[in-house]
Amino acid sequence: MKKQFTIAGVSGKKYTFNMYTFDDFDDLQSVFKSRGAIYIFTKRIWNGEKYEHTLIYCGETGDLSTRFNNHHAESCISRKKANCISIMAINDENQRKQIETDILEGNTFPCNTQHQ
């Protein structure tokens, strides 16, 4: 069964992502296929009853296969101890940007500098 992560945008619309855990940011290099997507980094922790996610960073890319090589927010994402990345594949750039903006404006991501 795929693990999923759901988040709402400022519009109230909910978006569902496929979720992957990782140990180190370098683990993400060359793992994903070349495709457009929105991605969200979180710190996933077990609270004794369920997993909780602390939001860290939200972005979009036209090519997941190379996005995490020298990512501009890598130091912040690592400092916040991200251990989970959630991916929603969307090839259309305009649609990606609209969804990313909706999510960013409806939530707080400490490693994002826009939409705050």
Side-chain angles (χ1 to χ4, degrees), residues 6-115:
T6 301
I7 190 169
V10 71
S11 68
K13 182 172 180 181
K14 292 184 179 180
Y15 303 97
T16 300
F17 291 71
N18 291 324
M19 184 179 61
Y20 307 91
T21 57
F22 64 94
D23 294 319
D24 187 81
F25 197 91
D26 289 341
D27 295 344
L28 302 175
Q29 294 180 11
S30 304
V31 170
F32 298 105
K33 293 179 181 177
S34 179
R35 63 172 29 154
I38 299 167
Y39 57 94
I40 296 176
F41 283 99
T42 60
K43 180 178 180 184
R44 181 177 179 242
I45 40 177
W46 180 253
N47 73 5
E49 296 178 19
K50 64 178 183 169
Y51 282 104
E52 294 180 348
H53 290 263
T54 301
L55 300 175
I56 296 174
Y57 183 88
C58 176
E60 67 87 20
T61 182
D63 188 352
L64 271 177
S65 69
T66 60
R67 182 62 188 112
F68 307 112
N69 304 340
N70 300 312
H71 192 283
H72 67 278
E74 179 179 351
S75 63
C76 183
I77 293 165
S78 295
R79 192 171 55 253
K80 298 287 185 183
K81 300 187 182 339
N83 62 2
C84 185
I85 186 169
S86 298
I87 307 281
M88 181 169 52
I90 298 177
N91 287 321
D92 181 84
E93 181 179 7
N94 289 331
Q95 185 181 12
R96 279 196 317 269
K97 289 185 183 294
Q98 287 173 352
I99 293 171
E100 177 196 31
T101 298
D102 189 31
I103 291 170
L104 286 170
E105 291 182 354
N107 299 276
T108 301
F109 294 87
C111 292
N112 283 87
T113 55
Q114 71 275 33
H115 302 282

